[in-house]
Amino acid sequence: MDKFQFFAPSEVLFGKNVEAQVGTMCKKYGAHKVLVHFGGSSAKNSGLLDRVCASLKEAGLEYVLLGGVVPNPLLSKINEGVELCRAEGVDFILAVGGGSVIDSAKGIGYGLANEGDVWDYYERKKTVTGCAPIGVVLTIAAAGSEMSNSSVVTKDEGMLKRGLTTDFCYAKFSLLNPELTYTLPAYQTASGCTDIMVHTLERYFTGKQTKQLTLVDNIAATLLRNVMRNAKIALKEPKNYDARAEIMWSGTLSHNGITGDRTLGDWSCHQLEHELSGMFGVAHGAGLAAVWGSWARYVYKENVARFAQLAVDVFGIPYNYRYEETTALEGIAAMESFFRHICMPTNIHDLIGSELTEEQIKELAYKCSFMGTRTIGQFKVLTEEDMANIYRAAK
């Protein structure tokens, strides 16, 4: 790797009961009045929301509540949050939840710090110049948004998903207690582990011009193996603290740049999946599992050795010097086998319960290409036609 950028300014507190320090941490980073942003009933029913509010009160901070964030967070909720914050004089946003809540908080932060329609910034019509400060109490190990500079939101009209990456939206702090993930349903745990893995896989498959560092490759392979091993444990033993801790910290590291500079990665699978979850409302990680194998088989000949290396380093598949392509394909199959083992779909039919129609395929590819205005990917640059072909292969 000739050049790369690493910037991870978020302060992390990791371990049991760290959420009790949330009031102190908000105050440390200048909060006076806090928006406590969360999803559905789980934060209330578990008592977490009460503990968070009690900590804010103890720190002498005022707060207002805004719940109702859904998976694939909606622009309408972000707009509601911006209006509430302005009306209440909020100067700090606290996300209590997983990636959807954190991304929604980042959207609100952008809306407070920038003029006009938040969506214009996600569509690149305007350039972000700041973001209101954000803190995180993490409850789901998956998206890595707690220590990344990215967010993805969905516009209600047309269910268009767009991502925005800027250094303004890094969380000031993130509080990570693996115990808060004990009650996650098995499907959500598996989907989260898949998302973690694909964040690193997207970085692993760079463009042809990028020379990777052996150290970074080894970190990536170790992280992938670690998540695979502990996902199996956590699914059998949901309250296994050590397994949950390994998964949670892997999720953070997988998206904070330590396994590769995101700007050098491919990211095609994420772009392809965004349209699936926009159209069908599926879990993000499950959607990634559904398209990853078809993407891999479509692009692997661009650099067969890279896929072969993944097979050897992650799955221990013997390297076949005479038939390198065989090793590469065995690695792809092994990855799909793992996804199936944790009950993730490896095709779109299993994801949504029916086959895509040709009309749906064309619509997905059209939206993924931003209405015919962009290509995606760096490992292999994909046109709108390529996108449609991958959806067909995965259907």
Side-chain angles (χ1 to χ4, degrees):
M1 187 181 292
D2 300 317
K3 295 181 180 179
F4 67 91
Q5 177 180 342
F6 180 74
F7 181 58
S10 303
E11 182 176 0
V12 175
L13 275 65
F14 189 103
K16 296 180 179 180
N17 302 317
V18 291
E19 66 274 15
Q21 300 181 54
V22 66
T24 301
M25 294 300 291
C26 287
K27 199 166 187 178
K28 175 180 177 178
Y29 285 97
H32 296 91
K33 191 168 187 178
V34 178
L35 174 72
V36 181
H37 199 35
F38 59 98
S41 59
S42 61
K44 293 181 179 179
N45 296 340
S46 67
L48 174 60
L49 194 60
D50 288 339
R51 298 199 301 277
V52 166
C53 292
S55 180
L56 294 174
K57 285 181 181 178
E58 187 177 347
L61 296 174
E62 295 183 71
Y63 63 87
V64 293
L65 302 176
L66 179 62
V69 180
V70 297
N72 305 309
L74 297 174
L75 179 65
S76 57
K77 180 60 65 175
I78 290 170
N79 290 334
E80 181 184 349
V82 172
E83 291 179 10
L84 177 62
C85 288
R86 286 178 175 160
E88 293 286 342
V90 165
D91 60 7
F92 196 95
I93 305 163
L94 179 66
V96 181
S100 294
V101 174
I102 302 168
D103 284 4
S104 185
K106 290 178 179 180
I108 294 171
Y110 285 136
L112 288 177
N114 299 274
E115 295 182 353
D117 188 349
V118 174
W119 188 248
D120 286 342
Y121 298 97
Y122 281 86
E123 285 222 309
R124 312 297 195 278
K125 293 179 180 178
K126 294 181 179 178
T127 302
V128 166
T129 59
C131 183
I134 295 166
V136 173
V137 177
L138 186 66
T139 64
I140 301 173
S145 192
E146 67 274 5
M147 205 177 174
S148 83
N149 59 350
S150 302
S151 62
V152 180
V153 304
T154 302
K155 186 177 184 181
D156 308 51
E157 181 183 350
M159 297 305 288
L160 295 175
K161 291 187 74 170
R162 295 290 184 267
L164 181 57
T165 299
T166 81
D167 287 349
F168 295 112
C169 76
Y170 278 110
K172 298 299 183 183
F173 66 84
S174 291
L175 307 182
L176 279 59
N177 177 1
E179 292 177 313
L180 299 181
T181 67
Y182 284 174
T183 58
L184 287 175
Y187 188 84
Q188 199 167 0
T189 295
S191 180
C193 289
T194 302
D195 193 11
I196 292 168
M197 292 175 65
V198 178
H199 282 151
T200 286
L201 290 169
E202 298 279 30
R203 291 171 163 86
Y204 190 86
F205 293 104
T206 59
K208 293 179 181 178
Q209 75 283 359
T210 303
K211 182 180 179 181
Q212 289 287 63
L213 290 170
T214 301
L215 174 62
V216 175
D217 281 349
N218 288 339
I219 292 172
T222 299
L223 187 145
L224 291 167
R225 293 195 304 268
N226 192 52
V227 175
M228 291 166 64
R229 179 173 61 253
N230 286 287
K232 295 175 183 178
I233 296 171
L235 290 170
K236 290 181 180 179
E237 306 171 35
K239 293 186 178 181
N240 186 309
Y241 179 86
D242 291 337
R244 292 290 190 178
E246 295 281 357
I247 292 168
M248 179 170 270
W249 190 230
S250 293
T252 301
L253 296 184
S254 193
H255 209 26
N256 77 346
I258 200 71
T259 63
D261 185 339
R262 68 165 291 123
T263 65
L264 303 175
D266 185 79
W267 299 102
S268 292
C269 289
H270 269 72
Q271 300 303 317
L272 292 164
E273 195 288 323
H274 285 169
E275 303 311 326
L276 283 174
S277 54
M279 182 178 287
F280 299 106
V282 297
H284 177 55
L288 291 171
V291 300
W292 188 86
S294 294
W295 167 82
R297 290 187 178 88
Y298 194 82
V299 306
Y300 80 94
K301 290 185 179 179
E302 296 293 308
N303 189 343
V304 175
R306 191 70 175 148
F307 274 93
Q309 182 181 338
L310 181 77
V312 173
D313 292 348
V314 175
F315 296 101
I317 295 171
Y319 192 88
N320 190 325
Y321 288 95
R322 291 187 63 192
Y323 301 103
E324 188 176 56
E325 188 172 346
T326 299
T327 305
L329 290 171
E330 287 178 355
I332 295 170
M335 187 67 73
E336 288 184 311
S337 178
F338 169 74
F339 290 150
R340 286 192 291 269
H341 183 84
I342 61 171
C343 298
M344 285 286 97
T346 54
N347 59 68
I348 296 173
H349 181 278
D350 290 347
L351 176 70
I352 65 174
S354 61
E355 280 197 9
L356 289 176
T357 65
E358 187 62 23
E359 183 179 351
Q360 288 172 326
I361 288 170
K362 290 179 179 179
E363 180 180 348
L364 287 165
Y366 181 62
K367 288 182 176 179
C368 191
S369 69
F370 286 9
M371 292 61 180
T373 63
R374 72 161 184 172
T375 57
I376 62 173
Q378 295 196 72
F379 187 80
K380 176 180 173 64
V381 176
L382 302 177
T383 65
E384 183 179 344
E385 182 179 357
D386 292 320
M387 299 172 208
N389 288 337
I390 293 172
Y391 285 127
R392 288 190 189 97
K395 75 175 185 177

